[in-house]
Structure formats: C-alpha cells, structure tokens
Amino acid sequence: QVQLVESGGGLVQAGGSLRLSCAASGRTFSSGGVGWFRQAPGKERDFVAAIRWSGVSTYYADSVKGRFTISRDNAKNTATLQMNSLKPEDTAVYYCAARNGGGSYYSPESYDYWGQGTQVTVSS
C-alpha cells in the first residue's frame, strides 16, 4: 500500500518562498503521476500542480503558474512543490496525491492516494 506524507509547510510573509515535500512509502510508482492540491477553510479542494511519475510533463493551475514549480525524484519516491512569490490567497492546507490510472490530472477523482496535508499560511 502506498502512503504519502507532506512536509515543509509553515508561516511566511507575502513575497516569500516555501518548499513542500511529499515522501512516498510502500510500493514505488512506475506509472501515473503526482499532484498537489490545496484547500482553504470553507473552500473546495483545488488543483495546484501535477507531474507525470515517468516523463517530464507538468501541469499547473493558472493561479500558480510562473510562481510554483513541481518536481520529482523517482529513485527516492519523492515530489516537491517549490512555491515562490507567495500571496495571502495561497494560504491553505496543501495535499500531495498520487495516481496510477488514467483520467484528468486536474481532477481529485483521478487520484488514488492522499497525504494528510501540510498547512501553508501567508501573511500580508
């Protein structure tokens, strides 16, 4: 069974940076990809970024494109989300998710495994 654990969240001022990490244990991923989602209080869980586990294709929400960068290290079964130029509206719990099957990278329904989330708070 695959387990995902996020880390790296915290409090940062607007304009600052944070790097989130997602560590996977259990089976290694040989297909599918990894995504990051976020959920603010009282809001829906929104897509942030995704990357193919095998390959170089990446996907980003319009709201973070140019500021966030997703990457992965398949040998270590880890994925990272580098967040720069953070804004107060980026404040949310960030979740790492993994998938093996098909479907849209943008949809939470396409993912099979989820971490517990890590809090990111951006102050103004």
Side-chain angles (χ1 to χ4, degrees):
Q1 185 66 267
V2 175
Q3 296 184 128
L4 305 175
V5 179
E6 304 95 337
S7 63
L11 175 64
V12 65
Q13 292 185 342
S17 299
L18 284 174
R19 178 178 293 160
L20 306 183
S21 296
C22 175
S25 62
R27 295 183 61 184
T28 59
F29 297 129
S30 60
S31 62
V34 176
W36 286 93
F37 294 78
R38 65 187 182 186
Q39 187 168 21
K43 305 295 183 181
E44 296 182 345
R45 188 168 297 189
D46 293 327
F47 171 79
V48 176
I51 186 169
R52 292 181 181 269
W53 201 251
S54 179
V56 298
S57 298
T58 56
Y59 312 83
Y60 294 96
D62 289 341
S63 59
V64 306
K65 194 170 186 178
R67 299 188 296 120
F68 291 10
T69 302
I70 188 171
S71 61
R72 81 284 183 273
D73 185 336
N74 288 0
K76 298 179 180 179
N77 281 336
T78 58
T80 62
L81 184 68
Q82 178 66 46
M83 305 185 296
N84 298 326
S85 301
L86 284 162
K87 306 174 181 179
E89 49 263 47
D90 294 319
T91 296
V93 176
Y94 284 70
Y95 297 89
C96 176
R99 69 202 293 270
N100 288 315
S104 174
Y105 277 98
Y106 303 92
S107 174
E109 301 295 328
S110 300
Y111 293 81
D112 304 301
Y113 312 101
W114 293 84
Q116 293 298 305
T118 185
Q119 177 71 47
V120 171
T121 302
V122 184
S123 64
S124 58

